[in-house]
Amino acid sequence: MRFIESRSKNTAAANRAQERRMAIFGGILSVALIGVYNGLWYNRYFPLPEGWFSVYADMMRKGMVPYRDFYCFLPPLYPLFISTVQAVLGTKIIMLRIVGLVIAWISTGVLYTILRSCFGTTSAFLATVVGMIYYESSVVFIDYDFLQVMTAAGLLACLLILRFHKAAQSAAQRKQASAWAIGAGCAAGIALFTKQSNGVFICCFAGIAVIIAGGTSGRSWALRGALLYICGFSIVACSLCIWLLVHGALGACIGAIGGGGVSSKGGLMHIFFGFVPDVFKGDMLSRWLVLFILSLPFGLASIWALRMEPLHSSRFLSKDWGIAALLFAAAGLSLAILGPWYLGYGADSWAFGYLQYYADQSMIPAAIIGVLLIFCSTAENAYRLRSLGNRPLVIPALVASGFFWGNGTSGGIDGAGAFLAFSLFFAMLLHHGGYFRIGGVAVAIVMIMQASIFTENKYHVPYNWWGVEGEVDMRSDEEKTNQPLLSGLWVAAAENRILDGITGLIKSNTREGERILIFPQTPIFYLLANRPMMGTVVSHWFDVLPDNVALMEKDLLERKPPAMIILMQLPEYVWHEHERAFRQGQRCAQREILDTIVRMQAEGKYEEIATFQINEDDMYRVLKRKRVDLMDSAVVKAYSP
């Protein structure tokens, strides 16, 4: 009998060791595939709107303080981060792109660990890789952007809450549980103080998750978890407040973020709820209905599986499809990543456009349906078993809700907000699809096809901000940039001419130290030409600059006209759509700046010396201030930089 018991224990230990090896292998595969995917294109494009945080960092390294010396619409954490990175690694944009690769690897590893704590290895692997590809499919994605830092911090908070939940249930790990809760609060604080509008929702929903996670071990642990979470958040908040106080910028920071930042996006009510009607507009209702019908059998199967197999059962976590299935999934995803890059799938064809549109638009309803299914199954099991068990799906589902809602506050929902909920939904379908193999294989094939559609579109249109960047396929028509700051990057030949042409004109028509104005976007020219900006605003874009600050810039433009103006001429629909989205249809103050530029040119104060066409709708107009009569000292004083 003892021999049988000993053999059984050895077998169980061997199985656990095999599961751990399998889980580690799945994590390595996830990070490796995302590394290959990002490595293909991380230096193959340079969006013209990129670079405003490099301008922030440059000014900070020169001793200037955000809010006090220049306008900043974000909390200080991300500008401090970029300034520190460039102080250590240098100012070239390529170094920031490499940092972005590291951030992507971290996010991938953390997302995989979250999913693996709730599902089998193959399910977690597939959902992680496809989820990250979907996350990076946005046409305004820059790998080191503040959204990527916020996302990594939000995912880390979710993982630490899962660790807190597990440790709180074990008497031997109670001390570790406290550390996990504090760490979760710190990570949530980093998310909030990286981007406030998104981060505040991640922070709040993560706080609810901490209370629920602790509540499974008793009310005292729910309270303790909440207090420890707040303590961790306070560490980040107090550190930043002390830095701002020391530099005399705390009051200005609160005014810029709490006042200007809110008004530039149309007010609190619009920020919190303005995106909701867009989720249900147009033909989105039909996609909602189709997706609900398609997902209902899987959702019912998931709930049935949870009922038939107790949440405390270790067999639930050990159920997997084996190494063969994992390798098959890796091969399929490798084809989805490398196939479009080397072969191309006809992104210009009408058929691909149709598939890409519905693949992209279907993700948001799928993500919401997935979270709702998780909430329903969790509530049903919590009522029946009085416990979340060892599969607390409600924790990542709550954090996913924070990502989802927070992303909606920044111009609408896309992959950056829906990816975690999407990954949870499809991991759940894959995991429970194992009960009927055909269902699981069908879900896996659909996910791989989705990934191939997203990668093809990414390679074809890497960036497009309101048409500012035209369609530039990264797989062809690329050449190295000539600007030292951009060395290591490849761009389209037409964009290279714009970068070289405008930079050369600024340098040849102004003296070092003379101020220039770049309106309303593309502040990278401040750095390329090494010329200071006219006032205190780096970017005059509609949803980051409030009207009162824009009017101050307009007054400064009239009082002390800059030596040159680089005017990005945008079509009327761009102005109209932003005024509709962020000014309730009212005229924005940025129009006052534009009208002043047009009027000053008409009065003969500026002459147009060049134009650069970006695409059919957008162009740069390069305006040079005309010389004034040097005998008129009053005029000279007014026009001096």
Side-chain angles (χ1 to χ4, degrees):
M1 181 65 71
R2 291 180 179 177
F3 172 75
I4 295 174
E5 290 178 356
S6 175
R7 184 175 180 180
S8 177
K9 290 180 180 178
N10 290 337
T11 302
N15 289 338
R16 287 194 296 270
Q18 184 178 358
E19 286 180 25
R20 284 195 296 270
R21 288 194 296 270
M22 180 90 164
I24 293 172
F25 182 54
I28 293 173
L29 273 180
S30 300
V31 174
L33 278 178
I34 293 300
V36 170
Y37 175 58
N38 283 271
L40 290 173
W41 51 264
Y42 82 101
N43 67 337
R44 301 289 297 186
Y45 73 111
F46 179 76
L48 291 171
E50 184 180 349
W52 54 357
F53 286 102
S54 293
V55 178
Y56 286 158
D58 179 70
M59 291 188 292
M60 292 174 70
R61 290 195 307 275
K62 293 176 180 177
M64 300 175 71
V65 178
Y67 320 109
R68 188 192 71 187
D69 299 320
F70 60 89
Y71 179 81
C72 183
F73 68 99
L74 284 177
L77 189 58
Y78 183 73
L80 282 169
F81 170 72
I82 294 297
S83 178
T84 303
V85 167
Q86 292 195 332
V88 175
L89 301 179
T91 60
K92 291 183 178 180
I93 299 296
I94 190 66
M95 301 310 300
L96 292 176
R97 295 288 184 87
I98 293 173
V99 170
L101 289 178
V102 176
I103 294 172
W105 293 335
I106 292 172
S107 296
T108 302
V110 175
L111 176 59
Y112 172 80
T113 308
I114 291 170
L115 296 177
R116 182 60 186 85
S117 67
C118 300
F119 305 105
T121 298
T122 305
S123 304
F125 165 73
L126 259 170
T128 295
V129 176
V130 178
M132 287 301 298
I133 290 174
Y134 173 46
Y135 172 76
E136 296 181 352
S137 67
S138 169
V139 291
V140 292
F141 180 86
I142 298 175
D143 61 2
Y144 64 88
D145 191 65
F146 54 88
L147 280 174
Q148 281 50 270
V149 175
M150 183 206 68
T151 296
L155 289 174
L156 182 59
C158 180
L159 177 60
L160 294 176
I161 296 170
L162 286 169
R163 294 285 189 266
F164 165 70
H165 169 261
K166 183 177 180 180
Q169 293 180 324
S170 171
Q173 299 181 6
R174 292 290 170 87
K175 290 184 179 180
Q176 296 180 20
S178 298
W180 296 132
I182 293 174
C186 288
I190 292 172
L192 189 149
F193 290 109
T194 299
K195 190 174 191 305
Q196 68 274 27
S197 58
N198 300 49
V200 68
F201 287 95
I202 295 173
C203 200
C204 290
F205 278 91
I208 297 171
V210 168
I211 295 172
I212 293 176
T216 60
S217 301
R219 294 181 179 177
S220 62
W221 269 99
L223 178 60
R224 179 181 296 186
L227 292 175
L228 292 170
Y229 177 81
I230 293 172
C231 179
F233 175 84
S234 300
I235 292 173
V236 178
C238 291
S239 299
L240 290 175
C241 285
I242 291 171
W243 184 86
L244 289 167
L245 275 172
V246 169
H247 291 86
L250 180 60
C253 174
I254 295 173
I257 296 173
V262 171
S263 64
S264 67
K265 290 186 177 291
L268 284 175
M269 292 301 294
H270 184 270
I271 291 174
F272 290 165
F273 305 107
F275 72 95
V276 175
D278 293 336
V279 178
F280 301 96
K281 71 179 181 181
D283 57 350
M284 285 291 287
L285 288 175
S286 62
R287 288 195 289 277
W288 270 92
L289 181 60
V290 171
L291 282 168
F292 181 76
I293 294 173
L294 291 176
S295 62
L296 188 59
F298 292 102
L300 293 175
S302 300
I303 296 173
W304 172 82
L306 289 171
R307 287 184 60 87
M308 296 299 292
E309 195 159 13
L311 289 173
H312 291 287
S313 170
S314 61
R315 192 170 75 85
F316 204 105
L317 283 178
S318 64
K319 181 175 76 67
D320 214 326
W321 294 5
I323 187 68
L326 181 61
L327 293 176
F328 176 80
L333 288 172
S334 298
L335 181 62
I337 291 171
L338 299 175
W341 182 264
Y342 291 106
L343 302 177
Y345 290 167
D348 289 321
S349 67
W350 68 268
F352 181 86
Y354 183 85
L355 288 173
Q356 191 275 331
Y357 176 77
Y358 276 92
D360 186 47
Q361 295 299 317
S362 64
M363 293 300 99
I364 295 173
I368 295 177
I369 290 171
V371 169
L372 292 176
L373 284 172
I374 291 171
F375 285 154
C376 291
S377 62
T378 301
E380 195 272 343
N381 279 278
Y383 174 78
R384 183 164 52 88
L385 300 176
R386 297 292 190 271
S387 173
L388 295 179
N390 60 5
R391 295 185 67 250
L393 278 173
V394 69
I395 291 174
L398 280 168
V399 177
S401 301
F403 271 102
F404 202 91
W405 202 288
N407 181 234
T409 67
S410 296
I413 301 171
D414 59 12
F419 81 101
L420 179 54
F422 160 83
S423 299
L424 286 169
F425 178 50
F426 277 96
M428 184 169 64
L429 298 188
L430 283 165
H431 195 79
H432 298 325
Y435 285 95
F436 37 98
R437 298 287 183 176
I438 295 177
V441 171
V443 172
I445 291 174
V446 169
M447 291 181 68
I448 292 172
M449 290 177 63
Q450 293 272 52
S452 67
I453 292 172
F454 288 134
T455 55
E456 168 66 22
N457 190 62
K458 184 71 177 182
Y459 301 151
H460 184 60
V461 187
Y463 196 95
N464 195 326
W465 182 260
W466 289 94
V468 170
E469 191 78 12
E471 293 191 359
V472 179
D473 197 304
M474 293 187 289
R475 295 162 293 191
S476 61
D477 192 29
E478 294 275 292
E479 60 184 37
K480 289 184 178 181
T481 58
N482 300 317
Q483 300 298 320
L485 186 67
L486 306 180
S487 63
L489 298 178
W490 293 70
V491 299
E495 184 181 342
N496 223 0
R497 288 193 294 271
I498 293 175
L499 292 169
D500 292 345
I502 293 179
T503 302
L505 285 172
I506 295 173
K507 287 182 176 181
S508 61
N509 287 276
T510 61
R511 298 186 300 272
E512 189 171 342
E514 282 192 299
R515 298 184 181 275
I516 63 173
L517 171 64
I518 300 168
F519 178 83
Q521 184 59 293
T522 62
I524 190 64
F525 288 114
Y526 291 124
L527 295 180
L528 296 179
N530 191 27
R531 297 294 186 267
M533 59 189 183
M534 177 192 74
T536 62
V537 177
V538 173
S539 171
H540 299 80
W541 202 253
F542 310 93
D543 63 337
V544 302
L545 186 68
D547 286 345
N548 63 318
V549 181
L551 290 174
M552 293 169 61
E553 286 284 292
K554 174 252 184 185
D555 292 339
L556 181 62
L557 174 61
E558 292 179 324
R559 290 187 290 106
K560 293 188 175 183
M564 289 186 72
I565 298 175
I566 312 301
L567 173 63
M568 179 190 289
Q569 188 165 297
L570 302 170
E572 176 59 28
Y573 81 88
V574 176
W575 294 81
H576 174 76
E577 286 299 314
H578 281 86
E579 288 173 334
R580 180 191 64 82
F582 302 112
R583 299 295 190 275
Q584 290 80 49
Q586 301 299 311
R587 179 184 173 91
C588 65
Q590 279 83 346
R591 286 191 186 270
E592 300 295 330
I593 300 176
L594 178 62
D595 291 347
T596 301
I597 294 173
V598 173
R599 174 175 54 79
M600 295 175 77
Q601 183 185 5
E603 293 172 350
K605 296 178 180 178
Y606 284 88
E607 60 177 334
E608 183 174 284
I609 59 175
T611 60
F612 294 86
Q613 199 74 33
I614 303 173
N615 50 46
E616 292 182 0
D617 297 323
D618 309 300
M619 66 180 295
Y620 285 107
R621 296 174 57 204
V622 181
L623 307 178
K624 178 185 177 182
R625 191 181 70 202
K626 289 186 177 180
R627 292 182 178 273
V628 297
D629 187 356
L630 297 180
M631 299 301 293
D632 190 342
S633 59
V635 175
V636 172
K637 182 178 180 181
Y639 277 70
S640 61

